[in-house]
Amino acid sequence: MGKIIAIANQKGGVGKTTTAINLSASLANLGKKVLLVDADPQANASTGLGVMVKDLENTVYECLLGESSAKSAIVQTSIKNLSLLPSHIDLVGAEIEMAKLENRNTKLLDVLSPIKGDYDYILIDCLPSLGLIALNSLTAADSVIIPVQCEYFALDGLSKLLNTIKLVKNNLNPELKIEGFLLTMYDTRLRYANEVANEVRKHFESMLFKTAIYRNVKLSEASGYGKAAIEYDYASRGAQNYLVLAKELLAKNKIK
């Protein structure tokens, strides 16, 4: 049975989608069968993997509303072993349409449960909010990766996210765990970046990934070309950071 990991932080611009794309691609590169679920209406994870969302008949939006199965909406990416359940701007309206449903908190769980066994890992790129779709993502997940940008105010709002995770755990998903906090956009030349990193280590040491993602222009360039970093420039620091992170995740889960 596969493992579902939500990548979440209600603060935007922390490297969440970059992590979703590149960790998924790295796990696939290491031979794992991976599905990336784009649960953000901006659909950046979809376009960042070269998928033209405007041409798609079915996306996660149709799946959440029961108009399509996940299998009918999933597309294969250019990376071997990596599939995508794409998003669309229509997802903006899904929260309003889902609000009237009795099982509104478990819709994504219902979508993913039938296919969970088809993959080693299912990663969910959550939207930067703590609304109904983010709640669905946490309810469907086995664990959460929380990217933390090495910038001022990085810890702002984390208490709210951690409280939401606690509420989901207590009321909807008792098995939910924090997979780890991940330092992103780390520039060791900047004093404040080192200060933020030390603050995160102090607060979350036991839950912090050893691997950090260092600031690297190739990561943003790759997404602009609709590619993961390992496709765009395998030798780049960003690509190698995510490969090391993937190996750390597999070791943590005792998977070779």
Side-chain angles (χ1 to χ4, degrees):
M1 192 62 121
K3 183 170 190 177
I4 301 178
I5 302 176
I7 301 174
N9 191 326
Q10 83 276 14
K11 195 171 186 291
V14 299
K16 179 181 55 60
T17 298
T18 299
T19 295
I21 291 171
N22 289 290
L23 179 55
S24 297
S26 296
L27 287 167
N29 182 264
L30 293 171
K32 303 304 167 190
K33 194 172 182 188
V34 183
L35 173 67
L36 175 57
V37 178
D38 189 349
D40 187 338
Q42 295 180 83
N44 289 337
S46 301
T47 55
L49 283 170
V51 174
M52 303 297 290
V53 295
K54 63 181 177 60
D55 299 331
L56 300 173
E57 286 186 23
N58 294 314
T59 66
V60 71
Y61 170 75
E62 284 78 17
C63 295
L64 287 171
L65 296 184
E67 297 171 6
S68 172
S69 67
K71 282 190 176 180
S72 297
I74 287 169
V75 296
Q76 180 60 43
T77 72
S78 58
I79 299 171
K80 184 182 177 184
N81 297 323
L82 177 57
S83 300
L84 172 75
L85 180 52
S87 186
H88 191 276
I89 191 62
D90 288 349
L91 192 60
V92 168
E95 293 203 355
I96 297 169
E97 296 177 66
M98 289 164 60
K100 59 193 175 190
L101 303 175
E102 273 188 41
N103 59 339
R104 57 185 172 273
N105 295 323
T106 60
K107 291 300 292 179
L108 187 57
L109 176 64
D110 295 341
V111 169
L112 297 180
S113 291
I115 60 166
K116 187 176 181 181
D118 297 341
Y119 299 92
D120 297 306
Y121 283 95
I122 297 176
L123 272 60
I124 306 172
D125 182 28
C126 301
L127 73 170
S129 82
L130 293 177
L132 187 54
I133 293 174
L135 199 64
N136 264 263
S137 299
L138 294 173
T139 302
D142 298 304
S143 64
V144 192
I145 290 176
I146 303 171
V148 181
Q149 184 185 12
C150 291
E151 300 276 359
Y152 285 127
F153 311 119
L155 300 179
D156 284 9
L158 271 187
S159 59
K160 192 173 181 182
L161 173 61
L162 293 173
N163 188 52
T164 299
I165 290 171
K166 184 178 179 182
L167 288 171
V168 170
K169 187 177 173 69
N170 290 341
N171 297 288
L172 295 165
N173 183 4
E175 302 304 316
L176 183 64
K177 294 178 173 60
I178 294 176
E179 191 75 41
F181 291 82
L182 174 68
L183 293 173
T184 62
M185 304 182 194
Y186 191 4
D187 188 338
T188 54
R189 299 168 298 178
L190 302 177
R191 187 179 69 181
Y192 71 79
N194 291 311
E195 288 172 355
V196 169
N198 289 333
E199 194 72 12
V200 174
R201 290 188 187 104
K202 186 170 74 176
H203 280 83
F204 306 112
E205 183 178 5
S206 63
M207 294 185 286
L208 186 67
F209 282 103
K210 292 184 177 67
T211 308
I213 308 302
Y214 294 92
R215 192 173 286 280
N216 180 250
V217 70
K218 297 292 185 181
L219 289 171
S220 53
E221 280 182 9
S223 293
Y225 284 95
K227 294 173 182 272
I230 56 170
E231 287 183 291
Y232 182 70
D233 187 345
Y234 186 88
S236 67
R237 190 180 197 187
Q240 292 303 308
N241 283 168
Y242 277 109
L243 275 169
V244 172
L245 177 64
K247 290 173 184 176
E248 183 179 350
L249 179 65
L250 293 177
K252 188 175 183 179
N253 288 278
K254 297 181 172 57
I255 298 174
K256 294 181 180 179

